Amino acid sequence: DKQYLKPWGSELESGAVLILQLVFIEKEFRRQGVARLLFQSLIEKGIEKTGKTEKGTIKFVVVYPAVVEEDFEKELEGKTETEKKEIEKGHYDRAVKFYRAMGFRRIGLSKWFGLALDPGHISHQVAVEDDLDPPEESRP
């Protein structure tokens, strides 16, 4: 059995955390670096604003990858339920791939992903291929 790093601990329980709930990029702007720039801008703004608060500067960014069905509803037309689930899973997997490429790593086996802004945090030692995934049955 492969040994996995367990990069997340109690450090998420204190201080400022930026939670990004829903970030949506229109299809014509995807795969052009827009989302990456948007994330960088949101993080920089968050750091700027929280640096002046008693909680202190943001140390972590947390996301819950999700898909917006309206974004791919045309693909679902005429499909069986099984095919629809596969299409949705494909979109979800692409969202997860994006977050992992940005440096986010899964928090335990939850559906949440975290990004430590400290480059020395242990989560940055977890290679994309070694990031944990929950069992298939608990995925969307």
Side-chain angles (χ1 to χ4, degrees):
D1 265 335
K2 193 174 193 176
Q3 291 293 319
Y4 290 97
L5 284 176
K6 294 179 181 162
W8 302 107
S10 61
E11 73 272 18
L12 291 174
E13 296 174 9
S14 63
V17 175
L18 174 62
I19 298 174
L20 298 176
Q21 186 172 5
L22 179 63
V23 177
F24 183 82
I25 305 296
E26 293 288 344
K27 282 185 181 182
E28 62 265 23
F29 299 108
R30 292 182 191 159
R31 308 209 50 85
Q32 298 177 38
V34 173
R36 183 175 292 276
L37 288 172
L38 179 60
F39 267 79
Q40 289 169 340
S41 177
L42 289 169
I43 292 167
E44 287 170 14
K45 281 282 189 211
I47 289 170
E48 180 183 306
K49 290 196 179 278
T50 60
K52 301 170 187 157
T53 68
E54 65 183 57
K55 290 248 185 222
T57 305
I58 293 170
K59 295 179 184 168
F60 302 97
V61 181
V62 176
V63 297
Y64 185 94
V67 295
V68 178
E69 192 173 301
E70 291 80 29
D71 187 43
F72 54 91
E73 63 189 351
K74 292 230 184 279
E75 290 178 62
L76 302 176
E77 291 175 7
K79 303 291 191 222
T80 67
E81 285 306 310
T82 301
E83 291 169 327
K84 287 178 182 179
K85 284 184 191 287
E86 280 301 309
I87 291 168
E88 183 177 358
K89 181 185 177 308
H91 284 271
Y92 174 80
D93 288 347
R94 280 190 286 286
V96 167
K97 184 177 179 181
F98 165 76
Y99 287 116
R100 283 182 169 147
M102 290 281 299
F104 286 82
R105 293 298 177 263
R106 190 176 298 278
I107 299 172
L109 285 176
S110 74
K111 291 186 180 183
W112 293 90
F113 285 74
L115 172 67
L117 299 183
D118 173 4
H121 189 270
I122 191 171
S123 64
H124 294 289
Q125 296 176 25
V126 178
V128 169
E129 60 273 7
D130 292 335
D131 196 20
L132 292 174
D133 279 319
E136 286 291 325
E137 62 272 6
S138 67
R139 289 184 174 171

